[in-house]
Amino acid sequence: MLTKPISRSKTAVVAVVVLFSLLHITEARDRSFALLDCPPECLCDRPLQPEVWTEANRTSKASSTTQDDFEGNTELLGDDEDSTGSFHALCMVGQGAGFEKIEDLLSLDTTVLKIIYTSQTEQYQLNASNLVRFHHLRELHVQSLQAQLLRFSLDAELPVARLHLESLELVRTEPPTVLDRTQPSLTGLGLQSSPDATAYQIVATDEEEEIVVGGADGADSLTETFELEIVPYEVYKRELASTSNVSFYGWSNLTALSIHDCQLESLHPDFLYGLDRLQRLSLQHNNLKILPPFAFYGAPNMRLLSLANNRLLEVSYYSLAGLLELQVLDLSANNISKVSELTFPPFPKLAKLDLRQNPIEYVFDSSFAIANMTRSLFLGSDQVGLQIGTPKPFQGLAAMELLEIRNLQLPALNQYLFRGLRSLRTLRLLQGNISFVEYDSFAEMKNLTELYASGCAIATLSMDAFFGVKRLRIVDLSHNLLTELPVGLFDELLQLVELYLHGNRLTQLPTDFFRRLAPGVQIVRLIDNPWQCSCTMVQWRQAATNRLKISSSSDNPLAAYVYSNKLTPRCSDPAQGIQNRSVYYVIRKNLHCQIDSNQAHKIAQRISELNRRKQQALLQKRYHHHHRGGAVPAPAPSVRVALAHNNGVRPSAAVNGIMPGGVSIVQVYQKPHQSLLYQQKRQRLQQKLQKSQSRYATSAAAAAPAANVPTPQQHITSNDIEY
């Protein structure tokens, strides 16, 4: 009960600070005030440069909007027009007399007017008719710091294009008289479909009206019914009196309208009728429970609609029908409990659909088929778990790029859930309950680059869970229940850059875990795991586990990484007396982990022998090819260095393929018998011949004439090389 007044008082303080900041900005630029046509409660300005008012306006929005405003309210109201030759006024009114001064003293050519009512006790009614004299008014903001103390009466039409009303009580003495009303048609509502597509049909009777959705032949149709009850005239008048008469019929210049925290409980049928220019509408933080049929049909060119933070129980396609130009629809923080193919009408241009924090428990097939151009979809709430009741709930969303699902409840994540999301780039699974991730679970999403599955109670991963998603750059599996990772889990992720495994129950990683990761990995977050330190951790990369990502900015759009000791993984092994100590300190100081010298020597010998054999075969092949008249290819860099070393040449010159004096390595290689390698081989062969000479000299001399076998005194040749 005390929270709201306190916040209002804080806002009042901020507003006063904004007022002085505006004064400081204008004085710093040696701007003069129009004192003759500006009331003392107002701060007025005739800006010569648009950026003066833009800078002050950006500051004032902090006091006039809340954090929950849709897209920060900047997208809703748009950018200010060119303010050259215009007149701006910001008025802080504490009592009713201040409004009279505004009406009497404010310049008649005012184009932007912002009024903040700061009184905490006095109630006042501001009539739109009192502002009719301002013929050049294009933008109007009216806000009360104390809710419902200021009333705004729509008793006249104003020429404004952008209107923002907050924490007011809207009143209209009588419903508008609509002279040019036309009944909506199927074509105008976007319900006229081809014979092969889903068919819509409106069926009217004396007692109720139905909209039938089904195939062209009428089979497998779904019916949504809403009653049109016939009541006596006296009852109708009483019900109409209890219904809000708020309507902006006649405000034909409106392009952006926001009504926040104005206690709207219902919408008049003619709420937006005739507003063909309206593109952005925000009705956040009101008490709307039900949307009447065709509630927004009067604004067919609307591109943005926000109904966030209301009490809507359901949304039906007939209440949103006709918004064929809609691009952003925000229904977050309502009481919508179901989503099916009867929920939304056709939205051929819808790019963003936000259903967060709605108690939606089930999502059925074809629920979003009408929004096949949607690029961003947000589902799920903290209060109710989302259960997918069909195998392919997102079928048809081929253009989807971002999908966020909160509190998903599934025993196992399989490949059928995301069937059809071929263009998806970012997938967020937040705070759910998924115990097992099956094989090929993400294989359908070939273009997936970012995967977030944090806090989903994942206990087991299939070794082929990431099979097929080769473009993943970020994988977040933090704060789950993982106790081990399969060997080779991330082998296919050759473009992986960031891997987050912190907050799990991991005690060990596969021995070659870091060796099998992609070479471009920058971050491997391993903190908050009960690691049992052992010498198998000597291959861990400290540069990757202790790296922190710095957010990109306008000056540096690329993400940067810095080293931080606070991200060091720590051991948790009380039995060994090792608790909360750095992994790298323990394996170096406590465990004294080193590679076995004998094993290392054997490995080095084997590598040396393999390299020697490979080099010998390469030299023989190239020399043989040269003497047969073929072209000799350029040796590899390692061979160049070896040859250069044997011929007394610097390795840096040999890597480039050039010897001192401009002589190429191919030319030097024409006399291999002069190389040190040749002399070593010849010496070893002679030693072997001398050892075997005493054993078979006699038999070899007797058999030499018949078999033509060379005697020890003869030369042995192979591949034109004399040994």
Side-chain angles (χ1 to χ4, degrees):
M1 298 295 294
L2 298 178
T3 304
K4 199 168 187 178
I6 292 176
S7 62
R8 297 291 180 185
S9 61
K10 289 183 178 179
T11 309
V13 175
V14 174
V16 174
V17 173
V18 171
L19 185 62
F20 283 101
S21 65
L22 280 171
L23 181 62
H24 175 73
I25 293 173
T26 52
E27 288 180 350
R29 295 175 178 265
D30 294 331
R31 306 299 307 278
S32 60
F33 292 97
L35 298 179
L36 297 179
D37 51 6
C38 184
E41 289 80 7
C42 302
L43 177 63
C44 306
D45 190 17
R46 294 184 183 274
L48 299 178
Q49 297 178 356
E51 62 269 14
V52 177
W53 181 263
T54 302
E55 184 177 355
N57 186 36
R58 188 185 304 112
T59 308
S60 65
K61 284 182 180 179
S63 62
S64 62
T65 59
T66 63
Q67 186 177 1
D68 295 331
D69 285 347
F70 183 66
E71 297 296 333
N73 204 31
T74 56
E75 184 178 354
L76 178 66
L77 296 178
D79 298 328
D80 292 331
E81 296 176 354
D82 186 6
S83 57
T84 303
S86 61
F87 189 89
H88 295 174
L90 172 63
C91 302
M92 308 284 290
V93 181
Q95 53 185 357
F99 290 100
E100 299 177 0
K101 295 180 181 180
I102 293 176
E103 299 168 10
D104 296 337
L105 301 179
L106 194 62
S107 174
L108 294 179
D109 61 350
T110 301
T111 55
V112 178
L113 175 60
K114 299 186 179 183
I115 301 175
I116 300 178
Y117 187 53
T118 61
S119 176
Q120 301 291 321
T121 57
E122 182 181 355
Q123 189 173 12
Y124 184 82
Q125 177 170 322
L126 175 64
N127 299 323
S129 57
N130 297 339
L131 304 177
V132 173
R133 61 194 296 266
F134 302 105
H135 300 287
H136 301 281
L137 193 61
R138 292 296 176 265
E139 183 174 343
L140 175 62
H141 293 238
V142 182
Q143 176 186 357
S144 175
L145 297 185
Q146 183 67 31
Q148 311 305 314
L149 279 185
L150 181 62
R151 304 178 66 189
F152 187 72
S153 176
L154 304 175
D155 60 344
E157 293 81 24
L158 296 179
V160 297
R162 292 184 291 274
L163 177 63
H164 178 83
L165 307 174
E166 184 172 352
S167 300
L168 312 174
E169 181 183 352
L170 297 179
V171 294
R172 187 157 190 166
T173 55
E174 58 183 13
T177 302
V178 180
L179 303 177
D180 55 348
R181 174 182 297 281
T182 57
Q183 295 297 329
S185 61
L186 287 176
T187 304
L189 296 174
L191 303 180
Q192 190 71 31
S193 56
S194 61
D196 298 333
T198 303
Y200 296 82
Q201 181 181 4
I202 298 180
V203 180
T205 63
D206 294 338
E207 298 181 354
E208 63 183 17
E209 185 168 346
E210 297 180 351
I211 295 184
V212 181
V213 182
D217 55 356
D220 300 330
S221 61
L222 297 176
T223 304
E224 184 79 10
T225 304
F226 57 96
E227 296 182 357
L228 298 177
E229 184 180 0
I230 300 178
V231 297
Y233 181 69
E234 296 298 330
V235 177
Y236 169 75
K237 288 197 302 181
R238 289 197 301 269
E239 292 182 351
L240 188 62
S242 62
T243 303
S244 173
N245 291 330
V246 175
S247 173
F248 290 88
Y249 177 75
W251 297 54
S252 57
N253 291 331
L254 275 179
T255 60
L257 172 63
S258 59
I259 304 175
H260 295 170
D261 195 16
C262 292
Q263 304 299 318
L264 283 180
E265 297 184 357
S266 60
L267 299 180
H268 192 274
D270 298 321
F271 174 61
L272 299 177
Y273 198 82
L275 303 187
D276 295 337
R277 298 184 181 181
L278 187 65
Q279 297 184 3
R280 306 181 181 190
L281 173 65
S282 178
L283 302 177
Q284 298 181 19
H285 295 277
N286 287 290
N287 295 326
L288 295 174
K289 296 182 180 179
I290 299 176
L291 297 178
F294 320 119
F296 309 101
Y297 175 69
N301 295 315
M302 194 184 307
R303 288 170 171 77
L304 183 151
L305 173 61
S306 175
L307 298 170
N309 292 279
N310 279 277
R311 300 181 181 179
L312 294 175
L313 300 175
E314 64 175 358
V315 175
S316 297
Y317 48 84
Y318 56 81
S319 60
L320 297 175
L323 300 178
L324 303 181
E325 301 294 326
L326 194 65
Q327 299 176 9
V328 178
L329 176 59
D330 186 359
L331 296 171
S332 60
N334 280 280
N335 295 323
I336 302 172
S337 58
K338 66 176 182 179
V339 176
S340 67
E341 62 179 312
L342 295 176
T343 303
F344 302 106
F347 290 132
K349 297 183 180 180
L350 189 65
K352 178 181 179 181
L353 176 59
D354 194 343
L355 293 169
R356 281 176 290 192
Q357 301 305 329
N358 281 281
I360 299 174
E361 188 173 0
Y362 295 99
V363 176
F364 299 97
D365 277 339
S366 304
S367 297
F368 309 101
I370 44 79
N372 52 10
M373 296 301 295
T374 302
R375 298 195 301 270
S376 302
L377 175 62
F378 303 86
L379 280 173
S381 68
D382 296 328
Q383 291 75 24
V384 178
L386 178 62
Q387 301 180 18
I388 305 296
T390 57
K392 296 178 290 186
F394 306 109
Q395 186 74 23
L397 298 178
M400 180 81 69
E401 297 180 0
L402 169 62
L403 175 61
E404 178 181 307
I405 304 178
R406 182 178 295 272
N407 203 2
L408 179 62
Q409 305 289 323
L410 280 180
L413 197 65
N414 55 56
Q415 57 182 326
Y416 302 104
L417 179 62
F418 306 111
R419 183 65 57 88
L421 302 179
R422 298 186 298 270
S423 301
L424 197 69
R425 297 181 180 273
T426 303
L427 175 62
R428 300 173 186 164
L429 305 176
L430 307 177
Q431 307 300 325
N433 188 3
I434 308 169
S435 58
F436 178 53
V437 179
E438 296 182 359
Y439 64 94
D440 299 351
S441 293
F442 312 102
E444 185 75 13
M445 300 171 284
K446 303 294 184 182
N447 295 313
L448 192 65
T449 58
E450 299 181 9
L451 172 61
Y452 303 90
S454 178
C456 293
I458 299 175
T460 309
L461 292 168
S462 170
M463 63 178 301
D464 296 327
F466 300 106
F467 180 80
V469 280
K470 300 181 179 181
R471 298 185 179 182
L472 271 175
R473 297 178 57 85
I474 300 177
V475 176
D476 187 353
L477 297 172
S478 61
H479 301 289
N480 285 294
L481 305 177
L482 295 173
T483 57
E484 61 179 357
L485 297 179
V487 177
L489 179 64
F490 306 106
D491 281 2
E492 282 209 347
L493 308 185
L494 300 181
Q495 300 184 24
L496 187 64
V497 177
E498 300 175 18
L499 176 60
Y500 299 92
L501 297 170
H502 57 282
N504 280 279
R505 301 178 181 178
L506 298 170
T507 57
Q508 290 285 339
L509 290 178
T511 304
D512 57 349
F513 178 81
F514 280 89
R515 183 178 61 83
R516 303 180 72 153
L517 285 179
V521 171
Q522 299 291 329
I523 293 179
V524 182
R525 188 67 49 77
L526 298 176
I527 59 175
D528 298 331
N529 280 284
W531 297 111
Q532 295 182 4
C533 291
S534 64
C535 289
T536 59
M537 297 179 174
V538 294
Q539 298 182 7
W540 283 23
R541 302 180 195 169
Q542 189 173 4
T545 60
N546 290 25
R547 189 165 290 174
L548 178 66
K549 181 179 180 180
I550 299 178
S551 301
S552 58
S553 60
S554 57
D555 299 333
N556 183 19
L558 299 178
Y561 302 93
V562 297
Y563 185 86
S564 175
N565 285 327
K566 296 181 180 180
L567 301 176
T568 303
R570 298 186 174 275
C571 300
S572 178
D573 193 355
Q576 300 294 331
I578 302 173
Q579 185 69 19
N580 200 28
R581 300 295 297 272
S582 169
V583 168
Y584 305 105
Y585 179 86
V586 170
I587 62 178
R588 186 177 67 252
K589 297 294 185 179
N590 295 67
L591 302 180
H592 304 286
C593 298
Q594 295 180 356
I595 301 178
D596 186 14
S597 58
N598 294 332
Q599 183 180 2
H601 181 66
K602 292 180 180 179
I603 294 175
Q605 280 187 335
R606 184 178 179 183
I607 294 175
S608 177
E609 179 66 18
L610 291 175
N611 291 338
R612 186 188 64 79
R613 292 179 182 178
K614 185 184 298 184
Q615 188 180 39
Q616 180 180 354
L618 181 62
L619 291 174
Q620 291 180 357
K621 181 178 179 181
R622 290 181 176 174
Y623 184 79
H624 176 69
H625 187 269
H626 172 74
H627 280 271
R628 288 182 177 271
V632 181
S638 60
V639 179
R640 296 176 188 172
V641 175
L643 292 174
H645 178 74
N646 295 336
N647 290 275
V649 181
R650 290 184 296 105
S652 59
V655 171
N656 297 324
I658 303 297
M659 307 290 283
V663 181
S664 67
I665 290 179
V666 176
Q667 295 173 342
V668 174
Y669 179 67
Q670 292 178 358
K671 297 181 179 181
H673 58 277
Q674 297 179 354
S675 66
L676 180 61
L677 178 63
Y678 166 77
Q679 296 175 3
Q680 293 176 351
K681 292 179 180 179
R682 182 176 181 179
Q683 184 178 1
R684 287 196 297 269
L685 285 176
Q686 289 177 353
Q687 292 175 357
K688 291 181 180 180
L689 288 174
Q690 291 175 0
K691 290 180 181 180
S692 60
Q693 182 177 2
S694 59
R695 290 182 295 176
Y696 62 89
T698 306
S699 58
N708 196 20
V709 179
T711 63
Q713 288 78 18
Q714 293 177 316
H715 293 286
I716 301 176
T717 60
S718 175
N719 295 332
D720 297 333
I721 299 179
E722 184 179 355
Y723 291 91

